[in-house]
Amino acid sequence: MDLPKRKQIRLREYDYSAPGAYFVTICTHERRCILSDIAVGALHEAPAISVRLTQLGQIVDETIRSLLERYSDLTVDQYVVMPNHIHLLLRIKAERALREAPLRENGTRSLLAKAVGYLKMNSSKRIREIKPEMQVWQRSYHEHVIRNEDDYRQIWEYIDTNPAKWEEDRYYGE
């Protein structure tokens, strides 16, 4: 039986270990709202938005922070843990001695793919200590190579304002 081919979502021939910034989005399995709650309150007559992490979201948050200890050439410039997804603005700082493309035929992976894999695997492992049968993440992730300072500022703003736009999200309330 021939299985359908998966759509290639990475840039062909792009080195995802190259120095630069990357915008990454990872969704929960079936886009379940398990990571946080978005609360709207008032602060001096202006709406105040807060992200309240669930117990599972706290685990994800801790795992994101541990990326800095695990990968010395990687920084997490900005991130947000939304109810059913996370956004990360990652930066690879140094020229890698070994340049790898994502999922080449020989099985090597880029620094970006390794960091995302570490985040998904380790947060899942800790969450399964609490909820043994839970499938936490969707397969794969979405990434965008940030090409210039304007792109970087727009992504930063998008991540920063994402909680305020939660009710407009197409997966809100699912």
Side-chain angles (χ1 to χ4, degrees):
M1 175 173 130
D2 288 335
L3 297 174
K5 299 239 188 258
R6 291 191 76 203
K7 180 180 171 188
Q8 178 65 9
I9 57 174
R10 309 283 172 251
L11 293 176
R12 255 194 193 335
E13 305 303 318
Y14 186 83
D15 181 1
Y16 287 88
S17 288
Y22 302 86
F23 174 47
V24 175
T25 300
I26 308 170
C27 294
T28 59
H29 181 69
E30 296 178 345
R31 291 190 170 84
R32 289 180 313 225
C33 295
I34 59 172
L35 302 177
S36 68
D37 295 306
I38 306 296
V40 180
L43 180 66
H44 305 292
E45 299 176 20
I49 308 297
S50 66
V51 177
R52 292 189 210 138
L53 299 179
T54 64
Q55 182 181 20
L56 307 183
Q58 289 172 6
I59 291 170
V60 171
D61 186 72
E62 291 166 9
T63 309
I64 290 169
R65 293 172 189 273
S66 75
L67 287 171
L68 304 173
E69 299 162 14
R70 176 83 175 167
Y71 300 101
S72 62
D73 290 336
L74 184 78
T75 60
V76 180
D77 290 357
Q78 170 79 306
Y79 72 96
V80 66
V81 179
M82 296 295 289
N84 61 7
H85 63 280
I86 59 175
H87 292 303
L88 304 129
L89 181 52
L90 303 175
R91 183 181 302 272
I92 296 176
K93 299 185 289 187
E95 190 68 36
R96 305 293 297 166
L98 175 62
R99 314 265 310 200
E100 304 174 45
L103 301 179
R104 279 190 187 154
E105 297 81 38
N106 66 6
T108 61
R109 295 189 308 154
S110 68
L111 179 57
L112 185 65
K114 287 178 186 177
V116 170
Y118 172 86
L119 169 60
K120 290 171 75 171
M121 179 185 72
N122 284 282
S123 59
S124 293
K125 192 183 299 184
R126 287 189 55 206
I127 288 169
R128 284 196 197 109
E129 291 172 3
I130 301 163
K131 298 185 177 269
E133 303 301 317
M134 178 170 272
Q135 212 171 340
V136 181
W137 302 111
Q138 279 188 356
R139 186 173 179 184
S140 197
Y141 59 95
H142 174 76
E143 124 290 312
H144 167 76
V145 178
I146 297 175
R147 291 169 172 77
N148 55 46
E149 280 300 314
D150 189 46
D151 195 18
Y152 182 91
R153 279 192 298 276
Q154 287 177 10
I155 300 286
W156 181 283
E157 177 77 13
Y158 179 81
I159 292 171
D160 195 47
T161 61
N162 202 236
K165 298 175 182 174
W166 171 239
E167 289 183 1
E168 300 166 23
D169 190 287
R170 65 181 177 168
Y171 302 113
Y172 171 76
E174 281 192 0

